């Protein structure tokens, strides 16, 4: 459905501040296949923009808080995929920690939404959901 207020609007990127910059970049590139588009800065000011695919991006900033408050991180990053099971396996192989094994369920929405989902924690404790509408 097209947005009638702001034409052609979409999500360009989601950003996350992390404690271990290099570990996070490695997890997302080697484990999930993201591609580094650009990197800038040094030390605590280092950042990278990663291409997720399909025109979406993920931005990682160094110097994340080692003791974040609940509202300092997003609830979870939901990544659409045609194969949540494979994405889950790849994330675990790259060092992700299982939160919920792949499963099919129906979200009690109107109309009901059958989905296949799986959750892992990334290297900085961020929750990643692999999501497919069935």
């Amino acid at each position: 459905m097209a947005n009638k207020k702001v034409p052609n609007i979409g999500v360009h990127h989601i950003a996350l501040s992390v404690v271990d910059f290099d570990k996070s970049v490695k997890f997302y590139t080697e484990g999930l296949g993201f591609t580094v588009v650009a990197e800038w800065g040094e030390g605590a000011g280092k950042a990278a923009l990663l291409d997720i695919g399909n025109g979406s991006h993920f931005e990682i900033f160094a110097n994340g808080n080692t003791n974040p408050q609940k509202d300092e991180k997003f609830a979870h990053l939901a990544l659409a995929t045609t194969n949540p099971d494979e994405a889950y396996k790849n994330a675990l192989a790259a060092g992700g920690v299982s939160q919920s094994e792949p499963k099919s369920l129906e979200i009690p929405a109107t109309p009901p939404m059958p989905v296949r989902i799986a959750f892992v924690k990334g290297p900085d404790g961020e929750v990643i959901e692999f999501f497919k509408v069935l």
Side-chain angles (χ1 to χ4, degrees):
M1 177 183 306
N3 183 323
K4 295 178 183 173
K5 297 278 185 180
V6 184
N8 300 312
I9 193 168
V11 175
H12 180 269
H13 70 269
I14 295 170
L16 177 69
S17 294
V18 300
V19 175
D20 189 329
F21 181 84
D22 293 329
K23 183 177 181 180
S24 290
V25 170
K26 182 177 180 180
F27 174 81
Y28 285 101
T29 56
E30 294 180 14
L32 298 181
F34 295 11
T35 304
V36 175
V37 174
E39 287 187 89
W40 60 93
E42 297 178 7
K46 192 167 186 176
L49 184 65
L50 309 178
D51 185 341
I52 294 173
N54 298 322
S56 299
H57 297 81
F58 190 61
E59 192 172 29
I60 297 176
F61 291 99
N63 202 28
N65 189 339
T66 57
N67 188 21
Q69 301 298 312
K70 180 169 175 45
D71 60 356
E72 288 183 324
K73 291 190 185 238
F74 48 78
H76 65 270
L77 170 66
L79 299 173
T81 175
T82 57
N83 193 336
D85 297 64
E86 187 67 23
Y88 173 83
K89 289 178 194 173
N90 288 343
L92 294 182
V97 177
S98 177
Q99 290 297 288
S100 177
E101 293 183 2
K103 64 183 172 188
S104 296
L105 57 90
E106 187 170 275
I107 297 172
T110 305
M113 182 185 304
V115 297
R116 180 95 177 143
I117 60 174
F119 290 86
V120 299
K121 275 195 175 180
D124 216 61
E126 69 277 16
V127 177
I128 304 160
E129 177 183 12
F130 301 111
F131 186 92
K132 177 184 180 184
V133 176
L134 300 175

